[in-house]
Amino acid sequence: MADVAAWANLRAASRQAARGKRRRPDVETWLLREETELRQLREELRQGSYKPGRYQFFVIHEPKRREIAAAPFRDRVVHHALCRWMAPVLQSRFIARSFSCQVGKGTTAARECCRRLTNQFPYVLKCDVRKFYPSMDHALLLGQLEGVSRCPQVSALTRSIVDSYHSGPDAPVELFPGDDWVTAFARPRGLPIGNLTSQLWGNFYLDALDHWITEAQRHGAYLRYTDDFLLFGEDKERLWDLRSGIVTGLTALRLKLAEPKSRLLATREGVPFCGFRFLPGARPRIMGATKRRFERRRRELARSRKLSRLTQSVFAWYQFSREANSEGLRRAYARRAVGVRRVGQAQPSGRRTGRAEQEPMLAHPL
């Protein structure tokens, strides 16, 4: 616990947690009293009296409906401090093709790996875990984490964070061998989508499955991003056998594959992964659902005249779409932006009409 509660670690965690959020009232209040708050937090962590606060819940609908649990800023500082100490230990165990929640790895690296494997193999087994974060079992996760940290104080801190959240009624209860409905309902499960610790621990939760596939089964044509993973190969029977082993391994973790998203595909049909569809010998394409989500968000921001957020959204889309075969799509958005500008300039009074009146000019044309 000395390393987690060290002053330098807490100070760095506070700055990381405040990055990009300094204008929020709770963050401003914290930063005004940062030294006092950190000293009190340090004493609570050393004495073992720290208790997580209450979450604030809200629902997002893009790309799908999810309940987000936002921890108080004070707790987010603790999450950053714990992850700064724990991440190097856990990441040293991850396989090379586990891409989420690691410095130097992310969706761009995962897509590049998927592109290379798509060009090499004719078949792919695409797997997705059903309700991954809401279904993670607390007892199994804590057992895995206790094998990493031998410090009783760190284990107690980890347990307090895990126990601070339980999945709600939206998460279905699954029955596994040896279960009945009473024991299944009684088992605590679920990590909050929104905690930094949830991302790191979620990646670690499936680490044993990664090693089983790549080492015990010697299947190297594999990659995983959080709960989405792909197994490439030349033999369909081999991939079906691996799928049976994956189902068994997930059952041991009290997880199940999502159906029908988990399926065997020919790579020539296109491999959906991280918002793109990958085809052999070609640049990836942006999936239709991804394009529709961006267009819907762009229209909503334009109608509400939130130009600064519209600029950020368009620029983020531009950076995302550059990885795909999207020159025609970006030219179409650029023509639309020019057309809106011309309509706006055509009115001597400065008043825009027609479509320009509903959708302001893009602040960052594509």
Side-chain angles (χ1 to χ4, degrees):
M1 177 60 75
D3 293 334
V4 177
W7 179 260
N9 188 48
L10 289 177
R11 186 67 175 269
S14 176
R15 298 303 168 87
Q16 287 180 347
R19 188 175 300 166
K21 306 178 180 68
R22 289 177 175 269
R23 294 186 178 182
R24 291 176 45 174
D26 58 334
V27 181
E28 287 183 345
T29 302
W30 170 275
L31 293 177
L32 286 173
R33 297 170 38 86
E34 183 179 31
E35 186 169 342
T36 302
E37 294 284 358
L38 289 179
R39 290 185 184 279
Q40 182 179 352
L41 187 59
R42 185 186 185 192
E43 289 303 315
E44 291 181 13
L45 291 173
R46 285 181 168 181
Q47 297 172 8
S49 59
Y50 165 79
K51 299 296 181 184
R54 292 185 177 182
Y55 291 97
Q56 291 185 348
F57 296 93
F58 59 94
V59 176
I60 62 173
H61 298 275
E62 298 291 346
K64 60 183 180 181
R65 188 184 185 279
R66 290 192 179 100
E67 183 182 64
I68 306 299
F73 184 77
R74 188 172 190 267
D75 292 346
R76 294 200 294 274
V77 173
V78 176
H79 299 166
H80 277 273
L82 181 59
C83 287
R84 284 175 56 84
W85 177 86
M86 186 174 285
V89 179
L90 298 184
Q91 291 174 3
S92 65
R93 299 166 175 248
F94 295 163
I95 65 171
R97 288 180 174 172
S98 174
F99 287 98
S100 60
C101 309
Q102 300 175 70
V103 176
K105 293 185 178 181
T107 56
T108 299
R111 293 185 192 114
E112 176 59 23
C113 181
C114 180
R115 185 191 65 80
R116 293 197 306 267
L117 292 176
T118 301
N119 290 335
Q120 296 175 20
F121 296 94
Y123 302 107
V124 60
L125 176 65
K126 175 176 171 54
C127 297
D128 184 20
V129 178
R130 183 170 185 258
K131 297 288 184 180
F132 178 55
Y133 284 110
S135 301
M136 290 175 61
D137 189 81
H138 286 190
L140 295 177
L141 174 62
L142 290 172
Q144 292 178 351
L145 293 174
E146 287 174 0
V148 175
S149 172
R150 303 295 181 181
C151 176
Q153 290 178 306
V154 172
S155 297
L157 175 61
T158 301
R159 182 178 294 275
S160 68
I161 295 175
V162 172
D163 290 342
S164 66
Y165 177 87
H166 290 186
S167 289
D170 291 344
V173 177
E174 302 285 355
L175 292 180
F176 294 92
D179 283 351
D180 56 40
W181 284 111
V182 176
T183 57
F185 271 104
R187 291 186 71 98
R189 59 199 173 90
L191 290 184
I193 301 175
N195 277 10
L196 181 65
T197 52
S198 299
Q199 301 174 30
L200 179 63
W201 294 342
N203 202 18
F204 179 63
Y205 197 69
L206 294 178
D207 182 60
L209 182 64
D210 294 341
H211 288 278
W212 178 82
I213 293 172
T214 57
E215 296 171 6
Q217 299 300 313
R218 298 185 178 277
H219 191 86
Y222 167 79
L223 74 152
R224 178 170 67 86
Y225 189 87
T226 312
D227 62 324
D228 295 332
F229 47 100
L230 304 174
L231 293 86
F232 292 83
E234 298 179 351
D235 185 357
K236 289 193 290 186
E237 295 298 328
R238 165 69 172 165
L239 293 177
W240 281 119
D241 291 340
L242 287 172
R243 187 185 189 280
S244 299
I246 290 170
V247 171
T248 302
L250 290 178
T251 300
L253 296 173
R254 301 186 66 83
L255 298 173
K256 290 186 177 181
L257 287 178
E259 302 292 352
K261 291 191 290 185
S262 301
R263 59 195 187 276
L264 183 64
L265 300 169
T267 53
R268 66 176 182 274
E269 302 174 20
V271 182
F273 185 67
C274 287
F276 289 174
R277 184 175 296 277
F278 295 84
L279 294 163
R283 292 182 64 188
R285 301 175 182 176
I286 301 176
M287 296 181 64
T290 306
K291 291 186 285 188
R292 289 190 292 272
R293 283 198 301 271
F294 169 71
E295 180 64 19
R296 185 162 55 245
R297 176 171 175 78
R298 188 191 68 82
R299 289 179 177 176
E300 290 174 356
L301 292 175
R303 282 196 296 267
S304 59
R305 303 286 177 171
K306 298 178 180 178
L307 295 184
S308 60
R309 292 181 59 186
L310 177 61
T311 300
Q312 296 173 0
S313 180
V314 170
F315 182 71
W317 170 262
Y318 173 77
Q319 297 294 338
F320 166 79
S321 64
R322 285 196 310 174
E323 301 179 31
N325 182 13
S326 59
E327 287 81 1
L329 179 65
R330 285 185 280 133
R331 281 198 302 269
Y333 277 120
R335 287 195 299 269
R336 181 177 300 177
V338 172
V340 171
R341 185 185 296 113
R342 289 175 178 173
V343 171
Q345 293 173 349
Q347 301 298 320
S349 63
R351 173 178 167 80
R352 298 173 182 172
T353 60
R355 186 176 182 85
E357 190 168 313
Q358 299 177 2
E359 298 187 6
M361 179 180 61
L362 292 179
H364 189 288
L366 296 176

